[in-house]
Amino acid sequence: MRIVLLLCCFFLFLNCEDKHSKPKKTIEITVTKADKKETSIDSTKTEEEPFKKLDSKNAMHFFQEYDKHHKENKVRITTDFGSIDILLFNETKYHRSNFIFLTKQKYFNDTQFYRVIDNFMVQAGNSDDKKTARKRSEIGKYLLPTDTKRGFKHDRGVISMPSSEIDNPHKLASPFEFFIVQQKGGSHFLDGDYTIFGKVIRGMDVIDKIAAVETDEADWYFYIIFIYEM
């Protein structure tokens, strides 16, 4: 009987150890230019040009200039559930440029799909840890204006930018986060309040898997970690 108990404990230990040691899948981002020719940038060899710390006064001018030199508009996000390809809209150039800029700054490394609501949306780009807070501090504190009159609707699969949590009567956009509409038929009650700046062109089945994960009472989910690599 003692031998049986020892064997059970041994296998239980091996099982727990395997779960903790399982490696996380890395995320790969491929940026594609608007002319459809794909360009893959090696982040270990290519560094983004230096920039002045962004704030509410210089951010819009910065992204206006950034847009002139960075025309990438396709991004691939690979998660533990699979890959998601998104197309960024040129019509919302400040928000597209912001997303490309943050990607190249590796801001999204180790952030999470941290809020999911099945048959509504999945939200990403934030992580309550010191590393992400430090990245935000290094990049700067700024908001983006809403750009809601381009004819885009919050259909299933679109990518939109949530408003900041700070006192924000004009619902200025939080540049470090984004959400993807998962609801069948769309979430059109959001139209006019939040800026749509892209859409999923492949991988909505992955979004559905993410939206279906078990969450707590506040719809928080902290275990889908993704890493962007240019």
Side-chain angles (χ1 to χ4, degrees), residues 62-183:
F62 172 82
F63 287 119
Q64 186 175 29
E65 291 300 312
Y66 196 85
D67 174 70
K68 296 177 182 179
H69 306 286
H70 298 272
K71 297 299 183 181
E72 301 92 339
N73 66 350
K74 287 185 180 178
V75 175
R76 171 167 294 168
I77 306 171
T78 305
T79 75
D80 288 342
F81 290 83
S83 297
I84 306 162
D85 289 350
I86 63 177
L87 172 70
L88 304 176
F89 297 148
N90 294 320
E91 290 86 343
T92 49
K93 63 180 182 179
Y94 294 112
H95 301 76
R96 179 196 62 78
S97 296
N98 173 77
F99 195 85
I100 295 298
F101 168 71
L102 292 179
T103 297
K104 291 188 176 187
Q105 292 296 320
K106 300 182 180 181
Y107 165 76
F108 293 111
N109 287 17
D110 301 318
T111 59
Q112 306 163 338
F113 279 99
Y114 70 97
R115 184 171 180 242
V116 301
I117 303 176
D118 197 14
N119 199 30
F120 179 31
M121 64 89 198
V122 298
Q123 188 164 328
N126 189 23
S127 182
D128 293 330
D129 58 45
K130 294 180 180 179
K131 183 178 179 181
T132 303
R134 184 166 59 250
K135 287 182 183 179
R136 287 195 182 198
S137 177
E138 291 172 353
I139 292 171
K141 186 176 181 180
Y142 64 100
L143 298 175
L144 294 176
T146 53
D147 192 353
T148 59
K149 297 181 180 180
R150 303 290 180 176
F152 302 125
K153 304 294 184 182
H154 280 85
D155 299 324
R156 173 175 161 83
V158 303
I159 303 161
S160 192
M161 195 169 287
S163 57
S164 171
E165 295 179 355
I166 65 175
D167 185 19
N168 187 10
H170 300 293
K171 293 190 175 181
L172 298 179
S174 174
F176 297 104
E177 301 187 34
F178 62 95
F179 65 89
I180 300 174
V181 176
Q182 185 255 346
Q183 184 173 358

Side-chain angles (χ1 to χ4, degrees), residues 14-27:
L14 286 180
N15 185 48
C16 293
E17 185 178 39
D18 179 66
K19 288 181 180 179
H20 287 291
S21 61
K22 184 179 180 180
K24 296 173 183 175
K25 296 181 180 179
T26 57
I27 298 276

Side-chain angles (χ1 to χ4, degrees), residues 24 80-81 112-114 213-214 220-226:
K24 296 173 183 175
D80 288 342
F81 290 83
Q112 306 163 338
F113 279 99
Y114 70 97
V213 298
E214 185 176 353
W220 298 94
Y221 180 77
F222 289 103
Y223 300 99
I224 307 172
I225 297 186
F226 58 93

